[in-house]
Amino acid sequence: KCQNNGAFQSVLYCHVGILPQTNSSKVPSDQKHIKVLVHGHGRDNALAKDSKWVSDRKQYTSDASSANSSVPGLTTYEEIILINDNGEMLEGSQTNFYVVHDHKTPPTIITANEGVLHGSVRDSVLRICRNNNITVEFRPPTLTDLKKASGVFISSTSRWVMRVHEVVLGDLL
């Protein structure tokens, strides 16, 4: 804070960056095969996109040829889904994460409610679920949920809602 004519002013820092271009971003959206990788750990403070998280996530979002990357072949993935020590998938490095079970009646969507950033697109997804009587289980999806899933999708302000065609477990197998 700095003093200006006896009044205090706050300073707001904003991170702006170009999303890494993946192979799938070069294909028209109706023809994309969206692939995500389950890898890495969630952030310390999920309630805010702070500057520490921007720095921390570089290891997951840097180009695979970069020395900062811990993920071989990163550019083939649309997103990195973060998993905790309990095998729970909280969110992506830049997205919210959802698992769909439509073999249940009514259909159910599983998504974490704690340890994630509650964004505006996520709020819209949840409102659409409520308005269409789709059950939402607010808990982190697990690998068992993933095995039983009839679908998976991610959401963010930069991607809106994106169906995932393939989830790669990488070194979790």
Side-chain angles (χ1 to χ4, degrees):
K1 293 183 177 182
C2 57
Q3 193 168 6
N4 183 12
N5 297 332
F8 284 98
Q9 294 180 342
S10 295
V11 177
L12 173 66
Y13 294 97
C14 179
H15 169 78
V16 177
I18 298 173
L19 287 172
Q21 187 174 29
T22 63
N23 290 337
S24 66
S25 63
K26 300 172 188 171
V27 178
S29 61
D30 61 341
Q31 298 173 13
K32 285 184 185 180
H33 179 87
I34 304 302
K35 188 163 61 167
V36 298
L37 174 69
V38 178
H39 178 82
H41 292 281
R43 52 187 145 162
D44 295 331
N45 180 8
L47 300 179
K49 291 181 180 176
D50 60 13
S51 56
K52 182 180 182 314
W53 173 242
V54 172
S55 173
D56 289 348
R57 78 176 185 201
K58 279 188 190 269
Q59 65 180 313
Y60 306 127
T61 59
S62 295
D63 183 355
S65 62
S66 164
N68 293 332
S69 179
S70 67
V71 183
L74 179 65
T75 56
T76 63
Y77 302 104
E78 181 69 34
E79 175 64 305
I80 304 297
I81 305 302
L82 306 171
I83 189 166
N84 66 19
D85 293 333
N86 298 323
E88 299 169 327
M89 293 167 279
L90 300 173
E91 62 184 347
S93 67
Q94 301 174 31
T95 62
N96 291 108
F97 180 71
Y98 312 81
V99 171
V100 179
H101 286 181
D102 68 2
H103 54 276
K104 292 183 173 184
T105 305
T108 302
I109 292 178
I110 303 168
T111 188
N113 200 38
E114 295 180 19
V116 300
L117 182 67
H118 294 209
S120 58
V121 176
R122 180 183 185 273
D123 288 342
S124 296
V125 167
L126 299 177
R127 185 178 61 250
I128 290 167
C129 289
R130 269 192 312 276
N131 292 344
N132 290 282
N133 298 317
I134 298 170
T135 301
V136 178
E137 290 184 18
F138 290 107
R139 61 177 178 80
T142 64
L143 295 174
T144 301
D145 293 322
L146 197 56
K147 290 176 187 174
K148 298 176 184 177
S150 53
V152 172
F153 64 97
I154 56 177
S155 72
S156 72
T157 54
S158 60
R159 292 174 175 91
W160 296 99
V161 176
M162 185 176 279
R163 178 181 175 200
V164 172
H165 299 92
E166 183 178 352
V167 178
V168 177
L169 299 180
D171 59 2
L172 298 174
L173 294 175

